[in-house]
Every structure is written in structure tokens, then in C-alpha cells.
């Protein structure tokens, strides 16, 4: 093994712990969940070791691991699915052992049936446990009812230890943190769009800046997926969480998730616009754009940038202000389109570039309008 790998590993772990200690966030949530899981598994193992036979005691800490998920709802759901899988696997093993005895072909039949039963959607991700529990009940327990009873007791004990850890220290809520992430996302998109305005208006001819922007759109798309997962987790916290949230926070999270979807759709058009500007800079065609088009198109993009930030802000967007921003952008788009159509002397290459940029800006404006309709308070 490369000797540099070990120090790098410890450095990453130290950074992870510093981020967890610095403030609320994913790192601290993961660390707290890990600590709770260790304590719950240890408690389940100790109790099972003193109360149940050694042949089944390991199932208690294993079930505690299953029972401790990121949200209380997910923990209850996975525990219930695991208990169902345990009951199905144990019942199947006991039935085959009683009817056909313990032998090779019976074990094969058990495997076949258990794999088929495990595909039932109700078992969720715990479907494979039907076969695993069936193997233990069939081999170690010989299909005997007393072993199956102890096995069930061990599984229930582990689930109770895991769920108790959630009740003692419930998962943290991060409603404001999730909404702030959405605001930062939209703000980042707006800042990059303003950077493109400098290109259009002729204040910046750095092609590397445009290409960095193209790379940023891919990074921000991945960020959208991460933010959406965080919001979905926070929405899931409203189900069965010991500390009930307020309804306004729940609806704010729904709006935040819609705002992420708007951002993803907008970036599709921004990628196309950035490609066009990259080509225009590389070929020099951007220098042939008329001054009136540069000025009007730059103003249009600034208005769209302001509307983006208004959609993503942490507090509910002012419907009147957002509508005015979109109306202003729409009027600017119409004005630039009319100027472009009226200039019959525009060279074909420049006309094509203008048409491409206007098409992307028009589609971007349509997404902003759709976002405004979705995010209105009464929607």
C-alpha cells in the first residue's frame, strides 16, 4: 500500500470531524447517527446475550443497524419490512422442515421459494432477508418453533433498541439550512449569468471564463441532485418525527424542492447559451454583434438573473415583484427581437448567432414564468 494513502485518509477524517464540530449539517448528522447506531447495537447485543440463546443473539444488533436510518419514518418502515421478512422466512423454514424434513432438496426448495417471496414489493429493500432468515431457521434451528420464537424475540429486541435511540435523540431538523442551499444555488446561477452579460456587452473577452462557466453548469447540476435529496430527507422528517414541525416549514420545503426543479430546467438553456457564446468568442463572431443588440440582450439577461434570485430566496418570493421582473424581461425580449428583425443588413452568421441567443433567452424566460406560477403562495 502506498504510504501516502494512510496519512491522507486520516487527514480526510480529521477534516470531516472538524466540519461536524463546526456546525449543523450532513457531517454532524452522520456522526450523530453513527454514535447512536453504536450505542443501540451494543445495548441490543448485551440484552440479547443475557436474555436469549447465543444462536440468535447476533440478530439483535444487526436489526438495530437496520432500525437506525436517517429519518424516523425510514427507520420504522425498514424495521417493519425486516420483521415481515423475518416472519416470512421463519414460517417458510418451519413449514418445509415439518412437511418434508431437513435435507438437500428441501433446502434448495426453501431457497427458490424464499427468493420468489422476497421479490414482493412490500418487503422493500429487506426482501433478501426472507431467504437469509429462512436459512438460519432451517439450518441452525432445524425449523423448530422454540428457535424461531427466540429468533423473533432477538429481532424485535434489536428493532426496539434502534427506535429507542431515535426517540431519545431525534434526528436534527434543518429546514432553514435546506432553504439556504436553494438560495445559494439560484444566487450562483445568477452570478454566472451576470458573468455572461459581461461577455455579451463586450466588457470581457476571456474565453476561458466562458469555458469555466460551462464546467460550472455540470457541477451545479450535481449540486441540484444533492440539494434535492436533502430536501426530500427533511420532508420525510415530518412523518413520525418526535419533534413535529410546523406546517409553514413543510410547505416552504415543498417550494424549495420546486425551486430546485426550476433551476435544473434553467441550466439546460444556460448550457446551450454558454456553448453559443463559447463558439462566438472562439470564431470572433461576437465582435460583429451590433451595439444595440449587445445592450438590449445584456439588460434582458440581467432581468432574468434578478428573477432567478427572487425565485430561490429563503423567504417566499413577493409575487408582485417577481411578476414585474418577468414582465420587464418579457418586454425587453420583445424589443430586442423586433430590433433584430428590423435590421435587414445583418450578416447571416451574425443573424444566426443572435437567433440562437434569443431562443435560449426566450426559453429561459418561459421557465421563469413557469416557476413563478408553481411557486405562488396559493399554488
Amino acid at each position: 500500500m502506498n504510504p501516502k494513502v494512510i496519512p491522507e485518509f486520516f487527514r480526510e477524517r480529521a477534516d470531516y470531524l472538524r466540519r461536524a464540530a463546526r456546525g449543523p449539517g450532513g457531517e454532524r448528522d452522520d456522526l450523530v447517527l453513527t454514535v447512536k447506531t453504536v450505542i443501540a447495537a451494543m445495548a441490543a447485543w448485551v440484552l440479547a446475550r443475557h436474555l436469549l440463546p447465543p444462536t440468535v443473539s447476533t440478530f439483535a444488533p444487526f436489526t438495530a443497524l437496520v432500525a437506525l436510518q436517517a429519518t424516523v419514518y425510514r427507520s420504522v418502515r425498514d424495521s417493519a419490512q425486516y420483521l415481515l421478512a423475518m416472519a416470512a422466512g421463519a414460517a417458510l423454514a418451519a413449514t418445509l422442515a415439518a412437511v418434508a424434513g431437513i435435507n438437500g432438496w428441501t433446502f434448495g426448495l426453501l431457497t427458490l421459494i424464499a427468493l420468489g417471496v422476497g421479490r414482493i414489493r412490500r418487503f422493500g429493500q429487506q426482501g433478501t432477508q426472507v431467504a437469509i432468515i429462512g436459512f438460519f431457521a432451517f439450518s441452525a434451528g432445524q425449523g423448530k418453533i422454540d428457535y424461531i420464537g427466540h429468533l423473533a424475540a432477538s429481532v424485535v429486541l434489536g428493532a426496539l433498541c434502534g427506535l429507542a435511540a431515535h426517540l431519545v435523540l431525534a434526528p436534527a431538523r434543518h429546514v432553514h439550512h435546506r432553504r439556504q442551499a436553494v438560495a445559494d444555488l439560484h444566487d450562483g446561477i445568477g452570478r454566472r449569468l451576470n458573468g455572461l452579460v459581461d461577455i455579451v456587452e463586450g466588457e470581457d473577452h476571456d474565453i476561458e471564463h466562458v469555458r469555466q462557466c460551462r464546467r460550472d453548469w455540470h457541477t451545479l447540476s450535481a449540486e441540484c441532485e444533492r440539494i434535492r435529496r436533502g430536501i426530500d430527507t427533511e420532508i420525510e422528517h415530518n412523518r413520525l418525527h418526535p419533534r413535529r414541525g410546523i406546517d409553514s416549514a413543510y410547505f416552504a420545503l415543498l417550494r424549495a424542492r420546486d425551486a430546485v426543479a426550476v433551476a435544473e430546467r434553467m441550466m439546460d438553456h444556460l448550457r446551450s447559451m454558454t456553448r453559443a457564446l463559447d463558439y462566438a468568442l472562439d470564431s470572433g463572431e461576437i465582435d460583429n454583434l451590433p451595439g444595440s443588440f449587445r445592450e438590449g440582450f445584456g439588460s434582458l439577461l440581467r432581468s432574468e438573473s434578478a428573477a432567478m434570485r427572487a425565485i430561490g430566496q429563503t423567504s417566499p418570493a413577493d409575487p408582485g415583484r417577481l411578476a414585474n421582473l418577468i414582465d420587464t424581461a418579457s418586454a425587453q425580449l420583445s424589443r430586442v427581437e423586433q430590433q433584430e428583425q428590423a435590421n435587414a443588413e445583418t450578416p447571416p452568421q451574425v443573424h444566426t448567432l443572435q437567433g440562437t441567443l434569443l431562443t435560449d433567452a426566450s426559453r429561459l424566460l418561459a421557465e421563469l414564468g413557469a416557476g413563478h406560477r408553481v411557486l405562488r403562495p396559493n399554488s
Side-chain angles (χ1 to χ4, degrees):
M1 179 180 290
N2 189 336
K4 295 182 179 180
V5 173
I6 296 178
E8 181 65 25
F9 171 80
F10 285 111
R11 188 159 45 249
E12 291 176 356
R13 294 301 91 191
D15 291 341
Y16 176 89
L17 292 175
R18 277 195 292 270
R19 290 194 299 270
R22 188 179 302 130
E27 290 85 359
R28 177 176 290 184
D29 290 345
D30 289 342
L31 183 60
V32 171
L33 182 61
T34 299
V35 172
K36 289 195 298 184
T37 301
V38 171
I39 294 174
M42 182 177 63
W45 182 79
V46 170
L47 291 172
R49 186 167 176 265
H50 285 83
L51 299 176
L52 299 169
T55 53
V56 298
S57 60
T58 305
F59 282 94
F62 177 77
T63 310
L65 298 183
V66 174
L68 272 166
Q69 302 296 326
T71 68
V72 178
Y73 168 77
R74 205 176 301 170
S75 297
V76 172
R77 181 198 63 193
D78 285 8
S79 296
Q81 289 174 341
Y82 186 74
L83 290 172
L84 285 173
M86 181 275 298
L92 183 58
T95 301
L96 286 175
V99 172
I102 307 294
N103 51 63
W105 73 266
T106 312
F107 185 84
L109 182 60
L110 167 67
T111 304
L112 178 62
I113 297 175
L115 291 175
V117 171
R119 293 179 180 275
I120 297 175
R121 186 174 299 178
R122 187 175 295 275
F123 292 116
Q125 295 182 346
Q126 307 303 325
T128 56
Q129 297 301 323
V130 176
I132 293 172
I133 297 294
F135 293 164
F136 276 93
F138 191 82
S139 299
Q142 300 292 296
K144 295 178 180 178
I145 298 300
D146 56 347
Y147 176 88
I148 293 174
H150 290 144
L151 175 62
S154 182
V155 169
V156 170
L157 179 61
L160 291 176
C161 287
L163 295 175
H166 267 330
L167 294 176
V168 172
L169 185 60
R173 308 296 298 272
H174 299 300
V175 175
H176 177 73
H177 178 75
R178 307 302 184 193
R179 294 167 65 187
Q180 186 61 52
V182 176
D184 292 343
L185 172 66
H186 279 256
D187 185 65
I189 295 173
R191 282 188 287 104
R192 287 168 176 81
L193 182 54
N194 286 338
L196 296 182
V197 173
D198 294 336
I199 299 292
V200 171
E201 293 180 341
E203 298 178 6
D204 184 359
H205 283 77
D206 185 5
I207 192 170
E208 183 55 35
H209 174 78
V210 177
R211 290 174 179 171
Q212 179 60 49
C213 198
R214 292 183 66 176
R215 293 190 290 269
D216 288 347
W217 297 137
H218 293 287
T219 303
L220 289 173
S221 293
E223 183 71 2
C224 284
E225 182 60 29
R226 186 190 67 80
I227 293 173
R228 183 190 294 105
R229 286 198 302 268
I231 292 173
D232 288 342
T233 297
E234 200 61 46
I235 291 173
E236 198 174 80
H237 273 315
N238 284 278
R239 307 171 70 176
L240 303 180
H241 198 283
R243 297 197 303 268
R244 297 296 297 172
I246 57 177
D247 291 340
S248 60
Y250 172 72
F251 289 113
L253 288 168
L254 293 180
R255 287 195 296 272
R257 187 169 61 183
D258 289 334
V260 173
V262 172
E264 287 183 304
R265 295 195 299 270
M266 289 191 300
M267 280 192 285
D268 288 338
H269 309 306
L270 287 171
R271 275 193 288 267
S272 175
M273 184 185 297
T274 310
R275 282 196 303 270
L277 289 174
D278 187 355
Y279 169 79
L281 278 172
D282 190 46
S283 64
E285 287 184 11
I286 196 166
D287 295 325
N288 298 323
L289 288 174
S292 59
F293 179 86
R294 289 174 177 268
E295 180 181 356
F297 192 73
S299 298
L300 166 62
L301 294 186
R302 292 190 191 279
S303 296
E304 292 182 331
S305 174
M308 286 180 197
R309 296 181 179 187
I311 286 178
Q313 64 188 20
T314 55
S315 57
D318 180 355
R321 176 175 176 271
L322 183 54
N324 288 335
L325 287 171
I326 293 175
D327 289 342
T328 299
S330 180
Q332 291 170 331
L333 175 63
S334 298
R335 187 158 52 248
V336 176
E337 287 177 333
Q338 290 172 0
Q339 291 174 351
E340 193 269 337
Q341 292 171 359
N343 193 347
E345 299 179 357
T346 303
Q349 298 88 343
V350 176
H351 180 78
T352 299
L353 175 59
Q354 289 177 331
T356 300
L357 295 175
L358 287 172
T359 297
D360 290 328
S362 176
R363 290 172 177 170
L364 187 61
L365 183 58
E367 295 295 351
L368 290 169
H372 174 224
R373 291 189 294 273
V374 169
L375 297 168
R376 280 183 300 187
N378 60 349
S379 62

